[in-house]
Amino acid sequence: MKKKIFISAPGLICCAGQNRNELYESCLKGYQGGITSYKGSLVGQIPEANLPEPAVLEKKSRIFRIIDAALEQIRPEIEKAIAAYGAEKIGVCLGSCDNGSELSHAAHREFFEKGSFPKDYNLRFQNASLPAEYIFEKFGLKGPVFTIATACASGASAIIKGTELMKAGICSAVIAGGVDIVSDMVLTGFNSLGAVSDSLCNPFSKNRKGINLGEGAAFFLLDFARTVDGIELLGTGESADAYHMTAPGEDGAGPVRAIQAALLDAGISPGDIGYVNLHGTGTPHNDKAEALAMTTIFDPCPAVSSTKSITGHTLGAAGAIEAAICWMIIKERKGLPVHCWDGIRDEEFPALPLDIQDNTPSICMSNSFAFGGCNVILIIGKRTT
């Protein structure tokens, strides 16, 4: 018999909220005020005043401050798990596309200008594993530490890796989630791909132009012990298109396989899903492939929306933040996130039910699709039986 994995209340922060309640309210209202101008682009940055300010240089990096702001919200759950299982049985699985690049960029700039790195700079700051190691050290853990870098699916992939560690008996509980910052390097990279919109993200519209980058973090404690809220990670699924380095497969077949795998893992049918948080980047190819996948699996399609026009595309954190939104929908039962767009359909792909808001589902699905055709699906909910 499949062992249940419960998923704690999330700790999170992004431009649309300093915690899960603020973010959920922003989603219900369709609040886009967190998306602001930055170096000629629209991005979702967290106000500086909302971030803690550690004293140690290494931990002044924006990515560590964002991690702290999110993780402190679930410290009691983490400390309870450490007391119950021991530090050696608690793992860390972190999804991210950045490893504190702002410290590295500043240090290299000084090197080129002055011929040497700052005295307090260490090449360790460039390690991809540095943010995950920071969490490990923050709580004095002794279990396994994983860094997952599957681009825009990283946060969701990290949650799946956490469940694998638990199913294998390696961990009794896992801190899992994702974090990313709006860095100049990433913004330049997406601009070079022509994927950044000069206006608010407009997912699934005929007039869509691309993404608004965002930053943030979201973390859960995965545990076999039943949480107060009783919300489970019911099923997960992954697939890979292997179609192109950045573009998804045109027919949506890869996402279809991932959704089918998640439904099978959860032991439910498509009709049991009450809401889907779409990947919904507002880029031409991603939206089309996702719409094709959704209408292939679901008949009729459940209520859906994309929240990236509210949070910005938070890259490695996106899958975890959007799973957190699903968690809040199930817990609070106040309704569904508004899909912010101009309402002008693209006739080149099937229409999705983007205008349903008065639904209170018990089971939600979150889609995350990334570079290289990496497709990750999380199904979260409360079983009625």
Side-chain angles (χ1 to χ4, degrees):
M1 184 176 178
K2 181 180 175 181
K3 202 168 183 180
K4 294 180 179 180
I5 294 179
F6 292 94
I7 184 165
S8 76
L12 65 83
I13 187 170
C14 67
C15 74
Q18 296 184 59
N19 53 57
R20 56 185 176 268
N21 293 305
E22 287 188 6
L23 173 57
Y24 185 40
E25 287 300 317
S26 292
C27 289
L28 292 175
K29 295 174 183 176
Y31 171 73
Q32 295 180 280
I35 309 294
T36 56
S37 179
Y38 174 75
K39 296 193 175 181
S41 298
L42 290 176
V43 301
Q45 283 190 305
I46 300 167
E48 187 73 15
N50 293 351
L51 296 176
E53 186 64 73
V56 181
L57 172 68
E58 176 184 341
K59 295 168 186 174
K60 283 187 178 180
S61 176
R62 190 172 184 83
I63 201 162
F64 295 113
R65 296 168 66 200
I66 290 173
I67 287 171
D68 277 345
L71 273 180
E72 286 301 318
Q73 297 171 31
I74 61 169
R75 176 181 281 277
E77 290 86 350
I78 294 170
E79 291 181 342
K80 182 179 177 181
I82 295 170
Y85 306 125
E88 69 281 356
K89 295 294 285 185
I90 312 296
V92 175
C93 290
L94 174 72
S96 183
C97 301
D98 192 280
N99 62 332
S101 61
E102 60 183 320
L103 288 179
S104 296
H105 290 169
H108 281 80
R109 190 177 298 113
E110 184 166 329
F111 177 83
F112 291 126
E113 291 175 355
K114 300 179 179 180
S116 62
F117 287 111
K119 291 181 179 180
D120 46 10
Y121 182 72
N122 191 306
L123 288 178
R124 175 173 175 257
F125 296 170
Q126 295 179 212
N127 290 350
S129 61
L130 189 60
E133 292 173 7
Y134 172 67
I135 297 171
F136 179 80
E137 294 168 3
K138 177 181 177 73
F139 293 102
L141 303 178
K142 299 178 181 178
V145 183
F146 280 84
T147 298
I148 314 295
T150 51
C152 308
S154 299
S157 295
I159 291 171
I160 292 182
K161 177 57 68 177
T163 68
E164 292 172 351
L165 290 173
M166 293 171 67
K167 291 173 183 177
I170 297 170
C171 292
S172 297
V174 174
I175 301 167
V179 62
D180 253 319
I181 64 170
V182 173
S183 72
D184 292 349
M185 181 175 66
V186 172
L187 184 58
T188 300
F190 274 94
N191 261 317
S192 70
L193 292 172
V196 176
S197 176
D198 59 2
S199 55
L200 286 171
C201 180
N202 198 8
F204 297 95
S205 167
K206 183 178 181 179
N207 300 318
R208 65 195 185 278
K209 295 181 179 180
I211 68 173
N212 302 139
L213 281 176
E215 65 184 1
F219 295 99
F220 300 91
L221 182 74
L222 308 179
D223 200 332
F224 286 127
R226 184 180 181 86
T227 60
V228 173
D229 303 293
I231 297 176
E232 295 177 54
L233 183 58
L234 298 175
T236 64
E238 296 177 283
S239 71
D241 294 357
Y243 170 78
H244 185 270
M245 286 183 67
T246 56
E250 296 177 354
D251 58 2
V256 165
R257 289 193 297 273
I259 296 170
Q260 289 172 332
L263 291 168
L264 181 63
D265 187 38
I268 61 175
S269 66
D272 294 319
I273 303 291
Y275 166 76
V276 179
N277 187 288
L278 300 168
H279 187 59
T281 58
T283 54
H285 299 304
N286 272 278
D287 284 6
K288 181 179 180 179
E290 186 167 18
L292 289 169
M294 291 296 295
T295 51
T296 297
I297 292 288
F298 297 101
D299 184 20
C301 188
V304 300
S305 64
S306 169
T307 48
K308 286 186 173 67
S309 52
I310 295 170
T311 64
H313 190 347
T314 56
L315 304 179
I321 288 175
E322 289 157 17
I325 292 168
C326 290
W327 192 98
M328 289 299 293
I329 291 169
I330 296 163
K331 170 66 168 61
E332 297 298 331
R333 304 187 68 77
K334 292 182 180 179
L336 303 179
V338 174
H339 184 84
C340 298
W341 68 319
D342 62 8
I344 300 175
R345 276 197 55 211
D346 189 331
E347 302 292 341
E348 292 188 4
F349 53 77
L352 298 175
L354 299 167
D355 56 353
I356 300 174
Q357 290 176 249
D358 59 349
N359 193 12
T360 53
S362 297
I363 299 177
C364 298
M365 186 172 88
S366 179
N367 295 348
S368 296
F369 308 134
F371 283 172
C374 178
N375 309 301
V376 181
I377 305 296
L378 304 176
I379 297 178
I380 298 167
K382 282 187 174 182
R383 296 185 189 272
T384 56
T385 57

